[in-house]
Amino acid sequence: MRVALLVTHIRAEEKLILAAFNKRDISPDIILDRELNFDITCGAEQLAPSGSAWREYDLVFERCVSTSRGMYALAILNSWGLRSFNTYETAATCSDKLRTSIAFMKQGIPQPHTRVAFTPDSAMQAIEDVKYPAVLKPVTGSWGRLLARVHNRDSAEAILEHRQTLGDYNHHTYYVQEYVDKPGRDIRAFVVGDRTIAAIYRESNHWITNTARGGLATNCPVTEELDDICVRAADAVGGGILAVDLLEDARGNFVVNEINHTMEFRNSSQPTGVDIAQEVIDFVIGQIGVVA
Amino acid sequence: MTSETPLCPECDGEVDIPSDAMENELLSCAECGTELEIMNLDPIELELAPEVEEDWGE
């Protein structure tokens, strides 16, 4: 079995993934996204930076920290018929919060009240429609960057002016959500195929609870209810190997906030007791012979 | 791998390289906290890791 591991660089997760592959006697070729140089028309016969033709790989496992590089590489490789985790379609949906919201809406996945506008004036109206405090997010981005909780009209005007003046066009799509008054934590659940293999609470005194921003990870039991909503949410964006972020609203109901397609999990195996990397890799290996 | 301890290109501090280090692995300088990338293992070559870009993440 030939596997290409596509990365921006090697982080803790990639080392865990490589170790999990090695445990199954598979040694992936590591391919750096900085070395990619595709001829779109040449197809999978052309050589990858590893020196092997792309067609020789049974699977491309995409782990780029650069969302755009990973996503477009998948677009090309999938178009040539190469199998990948995740797929381009899943990556493209997950990397865009607006497309994710639409996917959730189509499948009836509960999510925070969300509005979208394209000018500062209409964005102000959107913020007032969802009511204060509101949350403004870039449609692309991760690790809690550039999120803003907006408490009143003055701060809304300031943030909108900054976005319009300093941001590129990506920041002129105003994605506005109600603020979900969660109980000092959110939930990160790891879905592999049709199963939620583990989940953590991310606790923080800050309203942004990402572990990348200092949120503390503790085990969250995977109940039937949590598994059901996570698997349905993952399916809504195309399925695969996904980290589903959920909030608990004031009534204790789950709402799905977003889904990450190149999930980070270095801090999650210890509190959950689940070898996330091995679960992922065993699933991937099991899927290679399955017709897509 | 050579035995000479590599130096941080930012602060000249000595950087401990883990025994299972890999090319293109990221690590932090214990002295100045700068994120570094291992460009070569034998001999060890360290460079400043690329700056985080706007589309980086999960």
Side-chain angles (χ1 to χ4, degrees), chain A residues 177-207:
Chain A
Q177 285 188 320
E178 66 169 319
Y179 175 70
V180 176
D181 193 12
K182 56 188 182 296
R185 68 185 187 194
D186 69 1
I187 295 170
R188 153 72 54 104
F190 301 93
V191 175
V192 176
D194 59 0
R195 201 161 60 90
T196 307
I197 61 164
I200 56 167
Y201 291 119
R202 301 186 299 188
E203 298 175 40
S204 175
N205 292 326
H206 196 281
W207 70 279

mmCIF file of all heavy atoms in Angstrom, chain A residues 177-207:
data_model
loop_
_atom_site.group_PDB
_atom_site.id
_atom_site.type_symbol
_atom_site.label_atom_id
_atom_site.label_comp_id
_atom_site.label_asym_id
_atom_site.label_seq_id
_atom_site.Cartn_x
_atom_site.Cartn_y
_atom_site.Cartn_z
ATOM 1 N N GLN A 177 -23.081 35.848 13.731
ATOM 2 C CA GLN A 177 -23.827 34.818 14.462
ATOM 3 C C GLN A 177 -24.290 35.358 15.807
ATOM 4 O O GLN A 177 -23.648 36.231 16.402
ATOM 5 C CB GLN A 177 -22.949 33.583 14.712
ATOM 6 C CG GLN A 177 -22.740 32.727 13.481
ATOM 7 C CD GLN A 177 -22.034 31.434 13.802
ATOM 8 O OE1 GLN A 177 -21.111 31.424 14.600
ATOM 9 N NE2 GLN A 177 -22.450 30.348 13.163
ATOM 10 N N GLU A 178 -25.382 34.774 16.283
ATOM 11 C CA GLU A 178 -25.769 35.039 17.665
ATOM 12 C C GLU A 178 -24.650 34.516 18.572
ATOM 13 O O GLU A 178 -23.962 33.555 18.241
ATOM 14 C CB GLU A 178 -27.067 34.309 18.010
ATOM 15 C CG GLU A 178 -26.923 32.804 18.000
ATOM 16 C CD GLU A 178 -28.112 32.064 18.589
ATOM 17 O OE1 GLU A 178 -28.660 32.503 19.602
ATOM 18 O OE2 GLU A 178 -28.475 31.028 17.990
ATOM 19 N N TYR A 179 -24.485 35.158 19.715
ATOM 20 C CA TYR A 179 -23.544 34.637 20.707
ATOM 21 C C TYR A 179 -24.268 33.586 21.542
ATOM 22 O O TYR A 179 -25.314 33.871 22.134
ATOM 23 C CB TYR A 179 -23.033 35.770 21.607
ATOM 24 C CG TYR A 179 -22.155 35.255 22.726
ATOM 25 C CD1 TYR A 179 -20.889 34.748 22.461
ATOM 26 C CD2 TYR A 179 -22.610 35.256 24.050
ATOM 27 C CE1 TYR A 179 -20.097 34.262 23.472
ATOM 28 C CE2 TYR A 179 -21.819 34.764 25.077
ATOM 29 C CZ TYR A 179 -20.554 34.269 24.782
ATOM 30 O OH TYR A 179 -19.774 33.769 25.780
ATOM 31 N N VAL A 180 -23.733 32.385 21.563
ATOM 32 C CA VAL A 180 -24.326 31.305 22.362
ATOM 33 C C VAL A 180 -23.687 31.350 23.744
ATOM 34 O O VAL A 180 -22.466 31.204 23.878
ATOM 35 C CB VAL A 180 -24.101 29.929 21.692
ATOM 36 C CG1 VAL A 180 -24.637 28.811 22.583
ATOM 37 C CG2 VAL A 180 -24.766 29.899 20.320
ATOM 38 N N ASP A 181 -24.506 31.592 24.744
ATOM 39 C CA ASP A 181 -23.999 31.761 26.110
ATOM 40 C C ASP A 181 -23.693 30.392 26.705
ATOM 41 O O ASP A 181 -24.434 29.849 27.506
ATOM 42 C CB ASP A 181 -25.032 32.502 26.966
ATOM 43 C CG ASP A 181 -24.424 32.978 28.273
ATOM 44 O OD1 ASP A 181 -23.189 32.939 28.409
ATOM 45 O OD2 ASP A 181 -25.203 33.385 29.161
ATOM 46 N N LYS A 182 -22.566 29.857 26.295
ATOM 47 C CA LYS A 182 -22.201 28.491 26.674
ATOM 48 C C LYS A 182 -21.665 28.463 28.108
ATOM 49 O O LYS A 182 -21.223 29.481 28.636
ATOM 50 C CB LYS A 182 -21.158 27.955 25.682
ATOM 51 C CG LYS A 182 -19.911 28.807 25.558
ATOM 52 C CD LYS A 182 -19.042 28.313 24.427
ATOM 53 C CE LYS A 182 -17.752 29.106 24.286
ATOM 54 N NZ LYS A 182 -17.967 30.512 23.940
ATOM 55 N N PRO A 183 -21.660 27.274 28.708
ATOM 56 C CA PRO A 183 -21.253 27.171 30.126
ATOM 57 C C PRO A 183 -19.735 27.118 30.324
ATOM 58 O O PRO A 183 -19.224 26.191 30.947
ATOM 59 C CB PRO A 183 -21.921 25.867 30.563
ATOM 60 C CG PRO A 183 -21.968 25.031 29.319
ATOM 61 C CD PRO A 183 -22.161 25.989 28.169
ATOM 62 N N GLY A 184 -19.009 28.107 29.806
ATOM 63 C CA GLY A 184 -17.560 28.170 30.015
ATOM 64 C C GLY A 184 -16.781 27.081 29.300
ATOM 65 O O GLY A 184 -15.617 26.817 29.627
ATOM 66 N N ARG A 185 -17.436 26.465 28.338
ATOM 67 C CA ARG A 185 -16.750 25.373 27.630
ATOM 68 C C ARG A 185 -17.459 25.153 26.304
ATOM 69 O O ARG A 185 -18.616 25.553 26.119
ATOM 70 C CB ARG A 185 -16.797 24.090 28.447
ATOM 71 C CG ARG A 185 -18.196 23.515 28.553
ATOM 72 C CD ARG A 185 -18.291 22.313 29.465
ATOM 73 N NE ARG A 185 -19.627 21.714 29.376
ATOM 74 C CZ ARG A 185 -20.103 20.835 30.240
ATOM 75 N NH1 ARG A 185 -19.372 20.451 31.269
ATOM 76 N NH2 ARG A 185 -21.314 20.330 30.090
ATOM 77 N N ASP A 186 -16.758 24.519 25.390
ATOM 78 C CA ASP A 186 -17.437 23.955 24.228
ATOM 79 C C ASP A 186 -16.975 22.513 24.085
ATOM 80 O O ASP A 186 -16.270 21.986 24.963
ATOM 81 C CB ASP A 186 -17.219 24.798 22.960
ATOM 82 C CG ASP A 186 -15.786 24.755 22.436
ATOM 83 O OD1 ASP A 186 -14.940 24.056 23.028
ATOM 84 O OD2 ASP A 186 -15.518 25.415 21.418
ATOM 85 N N ILE A 187 -17.395 21.865 23.032
ATOM 86 C CA ILE A 187 -17.088 20.453 22.836
ATOM 87 C C ILE A 187 -16.411 20.281 21.492
ATOM 88 O O ILE A 187 -16.856 20.843 20.488
ATOM 89 C CB ILE A 187 -18.377 19.599 22.901
ATOM 90 C CG1 ILE A 187 -18.986 19.676 24.311
ATOM 91 C CG2 ILE A 187 -18.087 18.140 22.509
ATOM 92 C CD1 ILE A 187 -20.379 19.079 24.414
ATOM 93 N N ARG A 188 -15.328 19.541 21.494
ATOM 94 C CA ARG A 188 -14.661 19.141 20.250
ATOM 95 C C ARG A 188 -14.810 17.622 20.153
ATOM 96 O O ARG A 188 -14.349 16.895 21.038
ATOM 97 C CB ARG A 188 -13.206 19.575 20.312
ATOM 98 C CG ARG A 188 -12.175 18.787 19.510
ATOM 99 C CD ARG A 188 -12.247 18.982 18.023
ATOM 100 N NE ARG A 188 -12.185 20.349 17.564
ATOM 101 C CZ ARG A 188 -11.124 20.915 17.016
ATOM 102 N NH1 ARG A 188 -10.005 20.245 16.908
ATOM 103 N NH2 ARG A 188 -11.189 22.152 16.556
ATOM 104 N N ALA A 189 -15.500 17.175 19.117
ATOM 105 C CA ALA A 189 -15.728 15.730 18.939
ATOM 106 C C ALA A 189 -15.011 15.268 17.687
ATOM 107 O O ALA A 189 -14.997 15.961 16.663
ATOM 108 C CB ALA A 189 -17.223 15.445 18.827
ATOM 109 N N PHE A 190 -14.428 14.100 17.755
ATOM 110 C CA PHE A 190 -13.648 13.552 16.644
ATOM 111 C C PHE A 190 -14.476 12.471 15.955
ATOM 112 O O PHE A 190 -14.793 11.444 16.562
ATOM 113 C CB PHE A 190 -12.329 12.986 17.167
ATOM 114 C CG PHE A 190 -11.486 14.018 17.866
ATOM 115 C CD1 PHE A 190 -11.559 14.193 19.242
ATOM 116 C CD2 PHE A 190 -10.641 14.853 17.136
ATOM 117 C CE1 PHE A 190 -10.800 15.166 19.880
ATOM 118 C CE2 PHE A 190 -9.882 15.824 17.776
ATOM 119 C CZ PHE A 190 -9.964 15.989 19.144
ATOM 120 N N VAL A 191 -14.814 12.733 14.708
ATOM 121 C CA VAL A 191 -15.617 11.789 13.939
ATOM 122 C C VAL A 191 -14.730 11.134 12.892
ATOM 123 O O VAL A 191 -14.038 11.812 12.129
ATOM 124 C CB VAL A 191 -16.809 12.492 13.257
ATOM 125 C CG1 VAL A 191 -17.566 11.521 12.364
ATOM 126 C CG2 VAL A 191 -17.743 13.090 14.299
ATOM 127 N N VAL A 192 -14.765 9.828 12.891
ATOM 128 C CA VAL A 192 -14.007 9.050 11.913
ATOM 129 C C VAL A 192 -15.008 8.163 11.191
ATOM 130 O O VAL A 192 -15.573 7.239 11.779
ATOM 131 C CB VAL A 192 -12.908 8.214 12.611
ATOM 132 C CG1 VAL A 192 -12.185 7.340 11.607
ATOM 133 C CG2 VAL A 192 -11.918 9.130 13.325
ATOM 134 N N GLY A 193 -15.256 8.485 9.925
ATOM 135 C CA GLY A 193 -16.278 7.751 9.184
ATOM 136 C C GLY A 193 -17.643 7.968 9.808
ATOM 137 O O GLY A 193 -18.118 9.101 9.901
ATOM 138 N N ASP A 194 -18.258 6.882 10.266
ATOM 139 C CA ASP A 194 -19.618 7.006 10.807
ATOM 140 C C ASP A 194 -19.639 6.849 12.329
ATOM 141 O O ASP A 194 -20.627 6.427 12.905
ATOM 142 C CB ASP A 194 -20.535 5.963 10.152
ATOM 143 C CG ASP A 194 -20.038 4.537 10.394
ATOM 144 O OD1 ASP A 194 -18.999 4.367 11.065
ATOM 145 O OD2 ASP A 194 -20.703 3.596 9.914
ATOM 146 N N ARG A 195 -18.542 7.256 12.966
ATOM 147 C CA ARG A 195 -18.435 7.024 14.408
ATOM 148 C C ARG A 195 -17.735 8.203 15.095
ATOM 149 O O ARG A 195 -16.718 8.696 14.594
ATOM 150 C CB ARG A 195 -17.623 5.744 14.632
ATOM 151 C CG ARG A 195 -17.792 5.069 15.963
ATOM 152 C CD ARG A 195 -17.325 3.623 15.847
ATOM 153 N NE ARG A 195 -15.934 3.520 15.455
ATOM 154 C CZ ARG A 195 -14.906 3.472 16.320
ATOM 155 N NH1 ARG A 195 -15.122 3.507 17.610
ATOM 156 N NH2 ARG A 195 -13.664 3.340 15.878
ATOM 157 N N THR A 196 -18.266 8.613 16.218
ATOM 158 C CA THR A 196 -17.576 9.611 17.042
ATOM 159 C C THR A 196 -16.667 8.851 17.992
ATOM 160 O O THR A 196 -17.137 8.181 18.916
ATOM 161 C CB THR A 196 -18.595 10.453 17.846
ATOM 162 O OG1 THR A 196 -19.576 10.986 16.948
ATOM 163 C CG2 THR A 196 -17.908 11.590 18.583
ATOM 164 N N ILE A 197 -15.383 8.941 17.751
ATOM 165 C CA ILE A 197 -14.450 8.075 18.505
ATOM 166 C C ILE A 197 -14.070 8.665 19.851
ATOM 167 O O ILE A 197 -13.646 7.933 20.748
ATOM 168 C CB ILE A 197 -13.168 7.775 17.691
ATOM 169 C CG1 ILE A 197 -12.407 9.066 17.357
ATOM 170 C CG2 ILE A 197 -13.492 6.985 16.425
ATOM 171 C CD1 ILE A 197 -10.978 8.826 16.913
ATOM 172 N N ALA A 198 -14.204 9.977 20.007
ATOM 173 C CA ALA A 198 -13.812 10.627 21.265
ATOM 174 C C ALA A 198 -14.300 12.062 21.237
ATOM 175 O O ALA A 198 -14.626 12.599 20.166
ATOM 176 C CB ALA A 198 -12.281 10.598 21.431
ATOM 177 N N ALA A 199 -14.353 12.659 22.412
ATOM 178 C CA ALA A 199 -14.722 14.076 22.477
ATOM 179 C C ALA A 199 -14.067 14.685 23.709
ATOM 180 O O ALA A 199 -13.807 13.998 24.698
ATOM 181 C CB ALA A 199 -16.233 14.238 22.531
ATOM 182 N N ILE A 200 -13.802 15.962 23.608
ATOM 183 C CA ILE A 200 -13.259 16.692 24.766
ATOM 184 C C ILE A 200 -14.115 17.927 25.021
ATOM 185 O O ILE A 200 -14.716 18.499 24.111
ATOM 186 C CB ILE A 200 -11.790 17.138 24.550
ATOM 187 C CG1 ILE A 200 -11.649 17.986 23.279
ATOM 188 C CG2 ILE A 200 -10.859 15.937 24.534
ATOM 189 C CD1 ILE A 200 -10.311 18.709 23.159
ATOM 190 N N TYR A 201 -14.174 18.313 26.304
ATOM 191 C CA TYR A 201 -14.615 19.664 26.640
ATOM 192 C C TYR A 201 -13.401 20.561 26.527
ATOM 193 O O TYR A 201 -12.286 20.173 26.907
ATOM 194 C CB TYR A 201 -15.133 19.729 28.079
ATOM 195 C CG TYR A 201 -16.429 19.006 28.321
ATOM 196 C CD1 TYR A 201 -16.486 17.945 29.218
ATOM 197 C CD2 TYR A 201 -17.607 19.413 27.695
ATOM 198 C CE1 TYR A 201 -17.678 17.288 29.477
ATOM 199 C CE2 TYR A 201 -18.806 18.754 27.941
ATOM 200 C CZ TYR A 201 -18.833 17.693 28.833
ATOM 201 O OH TYR A 201 -20.009 17.043 29.076
ATOM 202 N N ARG A 202 -13.600 21.752 26.009
ATOM 203 C CA ARG A 202 -12.536 22.753 26.007
ATOM 204 C C ARG A 202 -13.004 23.876 26.927
ATOM 205 O O ARG A 202 -13.946 24.612 26.599
ATOM 206 C CB ARG A 202 -12.266 23.260 24.591
ATOM 207 C CG ARG A 202 -11.861 22.124 23.658
ATOM 208 C CD ARG A 202 -11.441 22.623 22.306
ATOM 209 N NE ARG A 202 -12.510 23.328 21.608
ATOM 210 C CZ ARG A 202 -12.422 23.730 20.342
ATOM 211 N NH1 ARG A 202 -11.311 23.501 19.659
ATOM 212 N NH2 ARG A 202 -13.419 24.346 19.761
ATOM 213 N N GLU A 203 -12.371 23.944 28.081
ATOM 214 C CA GLU A 203 -12.804 24.893 29.100
ATOM 215 C C GLU A 203 -11.891 26.104 29.116
ATOM 216 O O GLU A 203 -10.674 25.978 28.989
ATOM 217 C CB GLU A 203 -12.795 24.217 30.469
ATOM 218 C CG GLU A 203 -13.761 23.035 30.546
ATOM 219 C CD GLU A 203 -13.658 22.299 31.861
ATOM 220 O OE1 GLU A 203 -13.518 22.961 32.901
ATOM 221 O OE2 GLU A 203 -13.715 21.059 31.833
ATOM 222 N N SER A 204 -12.495 27.267 29.271
ATOM 223 C CA SER A 204 -11.704 28.493 29.309
ATOM 224 C C SER A 204 -12.517 29.599 29.962
ATOM 225 O O SER A 204 -13.742 29.634 29.853
ATOM 226 C CB SER A 204 -11.323 28.907 27.883
ATOM 227 O OG SER A 204 -10.648 30.145 27.904
ATOM 228 N N ASN A 205 -11.817 30.509 30.636
ATOM 229 C CA ASN A 205 -12.498 31.709 31.145
ATOM 230 C C ASN A 205 -12.749 32.701 30.018
ATOM 231 O O ASN A 205 -13.547 33.621 30.161
ATOM 232 C CB ASN A 205 -11.642 32.389 32.226
ATOM 233 C CG ASN A 205 -11.564 31.533 33.466
ATOM 234 O OD1 ASN A 205 -12.526 30.833 33.810
ATOM 235 N ND2 ASN A 205 -10.425 31.569 34.144
ATOM 236 N N HIS A 206 -12.015 32.500 28.900
ATOM 237 C CA HIS A 206 -12.212 33.381 27.747
ATOM 238 C C HIS A 206 -13.351 32.823 26.898
ATOM 239 O O HIS A 206 -13.568 31.612 26.878
ATOM 240 C CB HIS A 206 -10.911 33.430 26.918
ATOM 241 C CG HIS A 206 -10.856 34.572 25.951
ATOM 242 N ND1 HIS A 206 -11.523 34.548 24.748
ATOM 243 C CD2 HIS A 206 -10.214 35.762 26.011
ATOM 244 C CE1 HIS A 206 -11.302 35.683 24.103
ATOM 245 N NE2 HIS A 206 -10.505 36.440 24.843
ATOM 246 N N TRP A 207 -14.062 33.688 26.208
ATOM 247 C CA TRP A 207 -15.196 33.191 25.416
ATOM 248 C C TRP A 207 -14.727 32.367 24.223
ATOM 249 O O TRP A 207 -15.481 31.547 23.698
ATOM 250 C CB TRP A 207 -16.101 34.344 24.972
ATOM 251 C CG TRP A 207 -15.530 35.264 23.925
ATOM 252 C CD1 TRP A 207 -14.671 36.296 24.126
ATOM 253 C CD2 TRP A 207 -15.794 35.236 22.521
ATOM 254 N NE1 TRP A 207 -14.366 36.907 22.943
ATOM 255 C CE2 TRP A 207 -15.051 36.293 21.929
ATOM 256 C CE3 TRP A 207 -16.583 34.443 21.689
ATOM 257 C CZ2 TRP A 207 -15.076 36.559 20.572
ATOM 258 C CZ3 TRP A 207 -16.604 34.709 20.323
ATOM 259 C CH2 TRP A 207 -15.854 35.749 19.779
#
